[in-house]
Amino acid sequence: MKTIDELLSEGVAGKRVFVRADLNVPLDGTTITDDGRIRAVVPTVKALADAGARVIVASHLGRPKGAPDPAFSLAPAAARLGELLGADVAFAEDTVGSSAEAVVSGLADGRVAVIENLRFNAGETSKDDAERAAFADRLAGLADVYVGDGFGAVHRGHASVFDLPKRLPHYAGYLIATEVGVLKKLTDDVQRPYVVALGGAKVSDKLAVIDQLLGKADRLLIGGGMAYTFLKAKGYEVGISLLQEDQIPAVKEYIERAEKNGVELVLPVDVLVASEFPDLKTKAPANPTTVAADAIPADQEGLDIGPETRKLYASKLADAATVFWNGPMGVFEHPDYAEGTKAVAQALVDAPGFTVVGGGDSAAAVRTLGFDENAFGHISTGGGASLEYLEGKTLPGLAALED
């Protein structure tokens, strides 16, 4: 895989460089609530602009239906990128139409433009190879060189991620090079003890990675909504907690395999419960009750790990040489259910080894709860991509860059 440093050494002054970024940031109207993904691509964009390239930044945002939708416009992201670069960033109001062509043709050396949301064009995500290829051809017409730096999208076989690199000289940006290097530390060159903390809502989202980790990790800590399927598999009452009944047979098999393989599988010993889900808009007090994990009332819902579990998980992370954490321990968006996620984050900060926050809600939680990002070894920009890499899958966006 060629890197951006190789591209810069060849010279980029005057060249049109298409940077496939991941500007898929959360929005409250037009206000960005977490700009981490934008900040992550700044080193690549700045290096290219400083070297005299004409930089065209492209990304998706949300899931529009293959047509323009103002709610998913990249205009706020373009404005924020300009603020971070300390320079004006031009914005094209389409992807491959007259506005994009005019904005790109008007770029001077060292200047940056953002084109509108790639998913406003149905060809970006189409499962029809010809439709996707046609869109990739039009995108290729905007540029001379391709730089892949949208790690959060590399597990998608989309036009701008998979098809476009085949049409232009292609290189990996700084972010992708960093992310891949980190993931190799979690798969090829693991320092032990290796502890993995998994949370989030659905156990089905994590089964494949658990399957792989049962042969690699020393300890697996389970929290979040997915924990209740594990507790049910052990025969516990879980009340009205989030539960995937159809996954219980697989979970039982994983519990047995963990014991057989000598992997310590750690489940909550107590949980915070309430009779209804909290109001995340008003953040009204929820007044939860703490109960033992095997004593959840039939009319109650588990919404966070309890204080004893927080201590337990912190102790299991205390000597870790390598940590991977993906998924919150509870409904961290509400202050009454944030302590479990906060405790795991703090345990990563305190751990002596290399710590990786695996993107998605975990990365959002770290920022929301006020942690210093520099206190972690790495905060990934792609939760789904990280998990699929750890599952051993081939990621289309990385495969295209390796050709």
Side-chain angles (χ1 to χ4, degrees), residues 30-392:
T30 59
T31 301
I32 297 169
T33 57
D34 182 354
D35 68 354
R37 284 176 168 164
I38 302 175
R39 286 186 284 112
V41 79
V42 166
T44 289
V45 173
K46 187 175 187 306
L48 290 167
D50 287 350
R54 304 176 184 189
V55 187
I56 305 141
V57 181
S59 176
H60 69 287
L61 191 152
R63 295 185 177 181
K65 305 297 184 181
D69 183 339
F72 298 105
S73 174
L74 277 174
R80 180 59 180 147
L81 179 61
E83 292 171 357
L84 292 167
L85 290 170
D88 290 337
V89 169
F91 182 67
E93 296 177 352
D94 56 24
T95 56
V96 290
S98 58
S99 179
E101 291 173 357
V103 166
V104 171
S105 66
L107 273 181
D109 292 1
R111 308 302 292 181
V112 179
V114 174
I115 62 174
E116 187 53 285
N117 192 336
L118 292 163
R119 291 185 183 174
F120 285 1
N121 190 305
E124 170 66 2
T125 60
S126 177
K127 294 182 180 179
D128 181 275
D129 291 348
E131 184 178 15
R132 222 175 46 248
F135 183 49
D137 286 340
R138 295 189 68 187
L139 290 172
L142 297 174
D144 305 305
V145 181
Y146 178 94
V147 171
D149 215 32
F151 180 73
V154 294
H155 59 314
R156 307 296 188 192
H158 294 166
S160 65
V161 176
F162 180 68
D163 301 271
L164 182 55
K166 299 177 180 180
R167 289 157 169 76
L168 295 169
H170 45 268
Y171 303 80
Y174 290 128
L175 175 60
I176 279 186
T178 297
E179 294 271 15
V180 171
V182 165
L183 288 169
K184 286 183 177 178
K185 288 185 178 181
L186 300 177
T187 53
D188 301 336
D189 185 25
V190 181
Q191 302 299 305
R192 298 187 182 279
Y194 179 20
V195 186
V196 177
L198 296 176
K202 295 181 178 180
V203 69
S204 57
D205 293 341
K206 304 290 195 322
L207 283 180
V209 75
I210 292 172
D211 182 62
Q212 288 292 315
L213 290 169
L214 286 175
K216 293 189 172 89
D218 298 299
R219 298 178 201 134
L220 278 175
L221 316 181
I222 305 295
M226 63 184 286
Y228 302 100
T229 301
F230 276 84
L231 294 175
K232 187 71 171 180
K234 290 179 70 69
Y236 298 167
E237 169 65 56
V238 297
I240 57 173
S241 305
L242 187 62
L243 175 65
Q244 290 186 285
E245 291 265 10
D246 61 325
Q247 302 299 328
I248 289 176
V251 168
K252 284 183 176 180
E253 193 257 323
Y254 286 170
I255 291 173
E256 293 171 2
R257 272 182 55 201
E259 184 174 359
K260 180 179 178 181
N261 293 352
V263 177
E264 191 177 359
L265 180 61
V266 190
L267 300 177
V269 295
D270 61 347
V271 296
L272 268 60
V273 300
S275 58
E276 59 184 11
F277 198 82
D279 189 325
L280 299 183
K281 287 189 177 181
T282 66
K283 307 289 176 73
N287 301 314
T289 302
T290 301
V291 300
D294 61 355
I296 299 174
D299 63 346
Q300 301 281 297
E301 178 178 11
L303 295 163
D304 193 14
I305 57 174
E308 293 305 314
T309 306
R310 293 173 218 153
K311 293 176 187 176
L312 174 64
Y313 285 12
S315 72
K316 298 297 182 182
L317 289 160
D319 66 344
T322 305
V323 182
F324 176 73
W325 169 37
N326 180 280
M329 296 291 109
V331 187
F332 75 91
E333 299 91 341
H334 191 286
D336 286 352
Y337 302 107
E339 291 304 316
T341 301
K342 188 182 296 184
V344 168
Q346 185 61 53
L348 262 72
V349 171
D350 296 338
F354 182 62
T355 57
V356 179
V357 180
D361 287 340
S362 308
V366 163
R367 299 182 184 108
T368 300
L369 297 174
F371 285 89
D372 180 358
E373 293 181 43
N374 294 321
F376 303 90
H378 179 70
I379 298 178
S380 179
T381 57
S386 294
L387 287 175
E388 291 199 16
Y389 189 100
L390 293 180
E391 289 168 21

